[in-house]
Amino acid sequence: MLFPENESQRLKVLNQYQILDTPPEEIFDELAQLAANLCETPIALISLVDAEREWFKSKIGVTISEVPRSISFGQYTILQSQILIIPDALQDERFAINPLVTSNHYFRFYAGVPLITSSGFALGSLCVIDFVPRNLSVKEQVALQQLARQLIRYLELHRQKVIDDSQRSFNLLFSKNPNPMWVYNQNNLQFLDVNEAAVVHYGYSREEFLQMRKTDICPPEDVPILLKYLEQNYPNLHFAGQWRHRRKDGQIIDVEIVTDTINYGNYNARLVNIRDLTEHKRIERTLQETEARFRVISEAIPVPFIISRVSDGLILYANPELFKTFRFSP
């Protein structure tokens, strides 16, 4: 297969459009039909070239929804900056033994315009195909390129809608989340945003938070450990852990954090969701202390002593005096 030099970035951009494997849409079908009509071809396709396939967002004159990238014409089109015209595929060494040319499809003529984004990434193509060798007039070439530009404009609008919808969903989940949440800059640990729950829980105002770094809410003795931990986990997209945080009033709280990498504005950032474990830890310590006291008392009782389950009598605990008296092993 052929790959552009920027293939990994190209695929990343393609996925941002969130259009692969979406249902047919009237606007795309109308543009594909218009391309077929203008060029007088039986087939017109609007395709997107994914990692392993060329997928058809719209198809006129064919029923298949995709072809392997290894035999696709689109893999050549996305390497171009202008229209790619193949007057007779059987006479072109790149396609002479291609199954799309030699099988029942008999694709002989191809003309494709790369769909290039404003940032310079070719996502796929608008193409027309015929079963006989031929060419396009200059007028037809210009028309096909104009249609491709219209397609790019619509794709950009679609991508912006995806971004806007995603941002609205993020803002809603972030601002209304009952758990404290914040976003910080990965490079300098500066807080970029906090939700209302964080303001209430930690006692700092939002303005105060935005003047602070992540290390400012840690007890001083924990800061070196935190910095080392962040350095070790820097490449990870997702990590979690338990830490101690310091509220504005000086109270030290136990927390569990879950961290994910996000793009926030122009920053490489981390989104942090926080769960306060302070009360849970207090109850846990109380239970441990209670259990320790119970063992001291039960072991001091000078008579055999057991605790059994009510449902079936299973012995859950026996004191040393019982082992000694009845000569049982634990």
Side-chain angles (χ1 to χ4, degrees):
M1 290 191 294
L2 300 174
F3 299 101
E5 291 182 359
N6 59 5
E7 177 66 3
S8 59
Q9 297 97 319
R10 188 192 72 83
L11 289 174
K12 183 177 179 181
V13 170
L14 173 61
N15 289 327
Q16 289 174 355
Y17 282 77
Q18 295 186 21
I19 200 165
L20 287 168
D21 299 313
T22 55
E25 295 179 54
E26 185 177 2
I27 182 66
F28 289 100
D29 290 342
E30 287 179 350
L31 288 172
Q33 186 64 65
L34 186 55
N37 294 344
L38 287 170
C39 298
E40 297 183 346
T41 58
I43 297 173
L45 303 169
I46 296 171
S47 75
L48 298 168
V49 180
D50 201 1
E52 300 289 339
R53 58 179 177 154
E54 182 177 18
W55 176 77
F56 306 137
K57 173 61 179 173
S58 181
K59 51 187 186 292
I60 304 297
V62 298
T63 56
I64 56 175
S65 297
E66 61 183 58
V67 295
R69 182 171 175 173
S70 58
I71 64 169
S72 73
F73 284 63
Q75 67 173 319
Y76 293 89
T77 309
I78 63 172
L79 299 177
Q80 311 294 313
S81 58
Q82 298 296 326
I83 189 170
L84 171 65
I85 298 179
I86 303 166
D88 186 353
L90 274 179
Q91 302 304 315
D92 190 311
E93 62 181 13
R94 295 172 296 178
F95 303 101
I97 60 172
N98 188 302
L100 297 175
V101 178
T102 60
S103 69
N104 293 334
H105 296 291
Y106 297 123
F107 292 172
R108 294 291 296 275
F109 166 76
Y110 174 91
V113 181
L115 300 176
I116 301 175
T117 69
S118 57
S119 55
F121 296 97
L123 305 182
S125 71
L126 168 63
C127 68
V128 291
I129 298 171
D130 208 336
F131 302 119
V132 295
R134 52 168 294 185
N135 214 321
L136 291 184
S137 67
V138 173
K139 184 177 180 180
E140 289 170 332
Q141 293 180 40
V142 170
L144 199 62
Q145 290 170 323
Q146 289 175 336
L147 287 176
R149 286 195 290 272
Q150 290 294 328
L151 265 171
I152 282 294
R153 292 190 186 102
Y154 186 79
L155 286 170
E156 295 292 351
L157 289 173
H158 175 84
R159 179 172 182 260
Q160 190 58 50
K161 182 178 183 300
V162 169
I163 292 173
D164 291 344
D165 290 347
S166 176
Q167 188 62 48
R168 278 193 292 270
S169 298
F170 171 80
N171 289 340
L172 180 63
L173 292 172
F174 182 79
S175 62
K176 301 299 182 183
N177 199 299
N179 286 343
M181 298 183 74
W182 54 55
V183 179
Y184 71 88
N185 186 331
Q186 272 195 130
N187 297 324
N188 61 11
L189 307 185
Q190 185 83 27
F191 286 114
L192 300 174
D193 203 356
V194 294
N195 70 351
E196 185 60 27
V199 170
V200 172
H201 203 76
Y202 284 81
Y204 297 101
S205 67
R206 187 173 185 277
E207 291 71 23
E208 288 174 317
F209 259 119
L210 299 185
Q211 297 299 316
M212 298 165 58
R213 300 195 333 148
K214 183 174 170 61
T215 49
D216 294 330
I217 50 89
C218 289
E221 61 272 22
D222 290 356
V223 171
I225 303 171
L226 172 65
L227 293 176
K228 183 177 180 180
Y229 178 82
L230 292 175
E231 182 181 359
Q232 291 173 342
N233 285 279
Y234 183 85
N236 296 343
L237 296 177
H238 173 93
F239 58 86
Q242 292 188 11
W243 294 92
R244 296 192 306 160
H245 283 173
R246 183 175 59 183
R247 298 174 56 182
K248 186 176 181 179
D249 61 9
Q251 180 188 359
I252 303 298
I253 59 175
D254 295 294
V255 298
E256 180 181 59
I257 66 166
V258 178
T259 303
D260 290 281
T261 297
I262 65 168
N263 291 318
Y264 189 86
N266 294 321
Y267 299 100
N268 291 323
R270 296 276 187 179
L271 172 66
V272 181
N273 189 313
I274 302 148
R275 187 164 67 97
D276 192 334
L277 300 178
T278 306
E279 183 63 16
H280 174 79
K281 292 279 190 179
R282 186 193 66 79
I283 293 172
E284 189 178 73
R285 287 192 294 269
T286 300
L287 288 173
Q288 289 173 348
E289 292 168 359
T290 301
E291 183 179 354
R293 287 197 298 270
F294 168 78
R295 287 189 176 276
V296 170
I297 294 172
S298 64
E299 290 176 5
I301 295 177
V303 295
F305 175 79
I306 64 170
I307 295 176
S308 61
R309 191 162 60 194
V310 173
S311 61
D312 60 3
L314 179 70
I315 295 176
L316 303 175
Y317 173 81
N319 70 346
E321 189 65 27
L322 183 133
F323 300 141
K324 179 181 177 181
T325 302
F326 292 96
R327 299 180 181 178
F328 291 151
S329 67

